[in-house]
Amino acid sequence: MLVQLIAHTNDPEKTVAAAAKLCYSDAHIETLLDGLTPEKTAAFLQKLSDLGHASPIEHASFTFGIEGVSRTFLAQVTRHRIASFSVQSQRYVRLEDFRYVIPPEIEAIPQAKAQFVESMNADAQKYLELVQTLEQAHTKRLMAEGLDEKAARAKASKQANEDARFVLPNACETKMVMTMNCRSLLNFFNLRCCNRAQWEIRAVADEMLRLVLPLAPHIFAAAGPRCLTGPCPEGRMCCGQQEQVREKYEALKQEAVSRG
């Protein structure tokens, strides 16, 4: 798994503070950024937090490059609808180099890992065999319809990829570019840093939090699972490890800010 921060709003906390300043003062646009010292910026951000006024933090966003994650992860992360996604297409990209994600619980059991790898190898073989069968059939049909061989094969290749991808497993690797504003990120961290989140998306969420903290430490000061700032909201499904979770994210935040 690889998570990189590839772009973000310039001076995100000052941008958010400027939006907050406009809400609570008679400031004019041309002078909105005037006087926004680090101290005043922090004060505006604290005021937003105290009031629960979240809309100004939507004006800052972060763009991540994410690689080496599964299609299972993709199905989960795209449920966060207030975000933008660009994902490598299995329709246009043929998976000649078939890669997949092995869940840690399978990796830890030799017999289970062997069975999993055997299944993945079989899937890869069947996928490429199906691609070849479809491409040959489509090329023959398109040439019969009047296309020259080169044009027919190029079109047939895309059609073959489109249908052959249906045999690919959820473990198949994918990559994406994802953009979220700060309000969406806080919600994402609330849900996906939780111990009850699936291991893969939790690992991605932790790494995203490490990346944004140095750039917006006030905005993300309380970021993480909801149990960091109150009781666990999971009820009977609670993991029962609130103290360990709080210690984990305290250490993560200290490390991220000092590194930044």
Side-chain angles (χ1 to χ4, degrees):
M1 179 194 75
L2 174 66
V3 182
Q4 290 187 336
L5 182 63
I6 60 177
H8 60 84
T9 300
N10 185 42
D11 205 341
E13 295 204 323
K14 192 172 183 179
T15 300
V16 171
K21 180 180 176 182
L22 186 67
C23 291
Y24 296 107
S25 73
D26 61 353
H28 297 285
I29 296 298
E30 63 270 18
T31 60
L32 194 57
L33 295 174
D34 293 351
L36 275 181
T37 62
E39 293 75 20
K40 288 188 177 180
T41 293
F44 272 116
L45 295 175
Q46 186 60 53
K47 183 176 183 178
L48 293 178
S49 178
D50 292 343
L51 294 172
H53 186 187
S55 63
I57 65 174
E58 295 177 15
H59 294 290
S61 64
F62 292 81
T63 299
F64 305 89
I66 302 172
E67 187 172 356
V69 289
S70 69
R71 303 293 288 197
T72 296
F73 169 86
L74 175 63
Q76 295 179 85
V77 76
T78 49
R79 293 173 186 166
H80 294 268
R81 295 185 297 276
I82 306 177
S84 300
F85 303 94
S86 297
V87 182
Q88 185 180 64
S89 173
Q90 290 181 343
R91 183 182 184 190
Y92 295 105
V93 179
R94 181 169 297 179
L95 301 186
E96 303 282 1
D97 181 19
F98 184 85
R99 299 186 182 189
Y100 50 86
V101 174
I102 304 179
E105 294 294 333
I106 293 178
E107 181 87 48
I109 303 171
Q111 183 180 358
K113 181 180 178 181
Q115 292 170 339
F116 185 87
V117 170
E118 181 182 3
S119 177
M120 292 300 103
N121 290 339
D123 285 344
Q125 181 180 349
K126 293 299 182 183
Y127 166 75
L128 292 174
E129 289 173 354
L130 182 56
V131 164
Q132 186 177 33
T133 298
L134 290 170
E135 187 172 305
Q136 290 174 351
H138 290 324
T139 299
K140 183 177 180 181
R141 172 180 56 80
L142 290 166
M143 289 178 65
E145 292 174 0
L147 286 181
D148 64 76
E149 183 177 359
K150 183 178 180 180
R153 192 166 295 280
K155 189 173 183 179
S157 177
K158 293 179 182 178
Q159 291 180 351
N161 292 348
E162 182 171 337
D163 291 327
R165 61 182 168 157
F166 278 77
V167 302
L168 292 171
N170 278 334
C172 187
E173 275 194 11
T174 191
K175 59 189 74 172
M176 69 192 69
V177 171
M178 179 180 74
T179 300
M180 284 187 180
N181 68 48
C182 290
R183 188 177 190 177
S184 291
L185 278 169
L186 287 171
N187 173 259
F188 180 78
F189 295 142
N190 276 171
L191 298 173
R192 303 304 187 172
C193 291
C194 174
N195 271 356
R196 293 200 62 244
Q198 186 252 359
W199 64 269
E200 188 178 22
I201 199 168
R202 186 171 66 247
V204 171
D206 285 350
E207 189 57 31
M208 287 167 58
L209 181 54
R210 287 189 183 94
L211 292 170
V212 300
L213 269 166
L215 295 163
H218 297 92
I219 291 175
F220 295 110
R226 288 190 176 96
C227 66
L228 296 187
T229 55
C232 174
E234 296 293 328
R236 289 183 299 173
M237 304 298 290
C238 178
C239 72
Q241 298 177 338
Q242 187 177 42
E243 288 306 314
Q244 295 95 315
V245 170
R246 289 180 174 179
E247 290 173 4
K248 169 189 172 180
Y249 284 96
E250 179 64 26
L252 182 153
K253 291 175 182 180
Q254 289 181 3
E255 177 192 354
V257 172
S258 62
R259 186 180 60 184

